[in-house]
Amino acid sequence: MYPRKSHIAFGFRFFVFLAVFFSGKGVYAQNTKLVNLRVEHLPAPLGIDQAHPRFTWQFETTKSDFKQTAYEIYVNSDSLATLKGDKNLYKKGRISEDQPLTYYEGENLQAFTKYYWKVKAWDEGGNTVESTVSSFETGMMTSSNWQGSWISDGQDITVKPAPYFRKTFSTSKPIKSARAYIAVGGLYELYINGQRIGNHRLDPAYTRFDRRNLYVSYDVTKQVREGGNAVGVLLGNGWYNHQSTAVWFFDKAPWRARPTFCMDLRITYADGSVETIVSDKTWKTNTGPLIFNSIYTAEHYDARLAQKGWDQADFNDSTWKEVFYRAAPSQHIVSQAMHPIRNVTPLKAKSLHQVNDTTYVFDFGTNISGVTSLQIQGEAGTVVRLKHGERIYDNGHVDISNIDQHYRPTDDKDPFQTDIVILSGGEDHFMPAFNYKGFQYVEVTSSRPVNLVEESLSAYFMHSDVPQIGTIHASNPVINKIWEATNRSYLSNLFGYPTDCPQREKNGWTGDAHIAVETGLYSFDAITIYEKWLADHRDEQQANGVLPSIIPTGGWGYEWGNGPDWTSTIALIPWNIYLFYGDSKLLKDSYGGIKRYVDHIDATYPSGLTTWGLGDWVPVKSKSPVELSSSIYYYVDATILAKAAKLFGKEEDAKRYEQLCLKIKDAINTKYLNKETGIYGQGVQTELSMPLFWDIVPETLREKVAKNLADRVAADHYHLDVGLLGTKAILNALSENGYADVAYKVAAQEDYPSWGWWIKNGATTLYENWNIQSAHDISLNHIMFGEIGAWLYKGLGGIKPDPEKPGFKHVLIEPHFVEGLENFEASHIGPHGKITTRWERKGKHIKLWLTIPPNSDGTLTLPSGEKRTLAAGSHEFDI
Ligand code: BGC
């Protein structure tokens, strides 16, 4: 192997030289830019409540050896002053640091204030580069800044129609800016002067409402006007007032109440004065066309009850009723600082099957999470039902029997995944406001004939709108389809918290989430969702360290399914965020929780072995001992805790938990490892791959155990024989231990049981069961077998973060040029920029192209074990 071409072309280097030469030392010419400025990992966010927000940035440069050696941060409430860098409210620097991440550490930030900031960086040669000015705006900062009161319509929790609220007010002075802050128990849509505010869906995100409530901030300067104004708020039940009944008893949640909200509409006039329009007794309320809504089942809408103009100033609200004051759902009301849920991708129907003039079946071609939007005209009073499902029967009707088993309806008025629309007689439009579903097919039936065409129903793929930061492309189209299906299932299960499936449960199952965290983080910038979800963990963790198996929960899950194989999210999620982002905040915030959790297991299971857990869920055929898999996860938590202790300078903890790790590892190996044969337990795939992947195997036996695993897989005809826990480990255990070809063979299978088998059978998402004929556990949109997404980056592209220099400050690249693939490409945008691996088979040789982003470096490890140091920039190798 020999390096052929490295870094930038000579011509460009010469240009850079000239530019720097003529511009004088100390300032860069056009070749380096500071880009992607973020606050709390969000671009120019509104409504930040953090006293010490985080700043991050990236470099865009053709100067491939660029390294940041120091930075300075300027913050000011005046944009011009920030630009000039003078009269700073806050200046941090010059700090000798190579990380593009820091905290604001100045005086207390004021509430409701727009701050401008920029960053200046130095390179090794003492040259500087400055960003343009970016901004962020604070929100309430403290709960005592709220002026509005919590109000509701005073109805009972069983009342079905959704409450509408309105208030009119007038302004008489020119408006400089206006902000709306709204906190809700339940869900809401906000309207001002007839216009819906923002494009978020299902706000605020689901939290444990009696412990923590989220509020959302909007810039409504354009909507508030001089003169008469009206504000309208429509409230939905969400998880707050769960009226549908299912096996997790959300209808009995301790927080359950009629939806409620608190709102401050803060108007700043051109003369500098401020007026706040608040939620109080001057509001009026009524019900309307939204006659039922359930986050779990569906929404019912009677278009005949629509009150046109209800959110306009000149509407006659004389029949509307008074509102009621009530207590806040919790004392902890914080800003929702994360990428919101949106209707991200519109989908047109792929086909329409008209069964007769009252029954139509639409097929959207891909399985998604989201909603449909109906455009229809029919006789007034016609009842239209839209049943959403993932499968169709042979006779063409929609089949929901794979997703409704946990639903326990008390009558037939709330059918599963079925919106009901009663037509007004005019042109009607309906899209649910407070529900989403998992579906590919929609069966529309009507009580009287209606005429529907393909355009009558469209769909939206809805999820937390996290930016995509990774791509995969392989010469094998099945692999590409598996990757696409994995991403679709990951996103279908991201709604402000990670879920198991978008139809049957919508539950924050912990196990599914930690299995999928790497898959998510390679492809999507999801840190904000995980930080919110770990705050949900803090709300749910008991004093003894125990967590429920679903988070958030209405109480269910403290007694079932919550062993370390599931609730190790408390350690695994923060640890992976640290590895991918180089940001230790979440790990620090979670430290106490991880410690309580590990201490609890240690106290309950002093031997180092624990039987607490569900084990290798939905396996192909072989079962592995729960004690083995749960003790391995317990070990993983203890290692993360020991590493975190070290990182945060807690030497005593570090020593104590290192000892505990040794004890657990020893206990596992003493009981389960046959040191003669190198076999764990009975030697089935999960039993061999979990100890390898999670680093339980004694170094001297690693090769032997890996060989046993490869032999086992060969004996299983290169097919999977694993459940959820084994799927996380198997491909990595093979490719990390010299058997990448075997791993690829398994990953690329196209017959049962395999990911490819699903794809060959038409899957566009990942399934819950390897057996597609299974009578149970067969949701068609689960992420729990989704580790393959991460493995494509790791096992084939070879891109991995280095725990010693996290956040891809030092990139580990260990690609595998597996038999069966002609070419492969993986890219991931980390904190420093884009990392790329691309390889192509050229006869007997491999051509390899790599990109390492600025301000970082890497190490390439070739299959032979040979290592190469990689500077930032582009590299080409012939191998
Ligand atoms: C969920 C799974 C979850 C499991 C726990 C199921 O009902 O859909 O994904 O992890 O329960 O056993």
Side-chain angles (χ1 to χ4, degrees), residues 500 504-505 509 512 560 566 614 617 768 782 784:
D500 59 336
R504 190 186 67 210
E505 304 194 23
W509 275 103
D512 307 47
W560 194 85
W566 257 244
L614 290 176
W617 197 247
E768 187 188 13
H782 252 64
M784 72 182 198

Side-chain angles (χ1 to χ4, degrees), residues 261-281:
F261 77 100
C262 177
M263 184 175 160
D264 281 11
L265 174 58
R266 200 168 186 276
I267 303 167
T268 308
Y269 294 104
D271 65 7
S273 60
V274 172
E275 184 183 8
T276 307
I277 308 297
V278 300
S279 47
D280 60 15
K281 283 291 250 190

Side-chain angles (χ1 to χ4, degrees), residues 1 171 180 234 294 518 571 576 728:
M1 188 197 82
T171 61
L234 168 62
S294 161
E518 289 175 86
N576 277 289
K728 176 78 191 175

Side-chain angles (χ1 to χ4, degrees), residues 38 41-43 339 465-470 490 494 520-530 581 829:
R38 301 276 186 269
H41 295 280
L42 292 166
H339 292 289
D465 194 6
V466 285
Q468 185 168 345
I469 52 169
Y490 179 76
L494 204 65
L521 294 179
Y522 272 110
S523 289
F524 300 99
D525 179 13
I527 182 172
T528 54
I529 312 296
Y530 288 115
Y581 288 86
I829 303 173

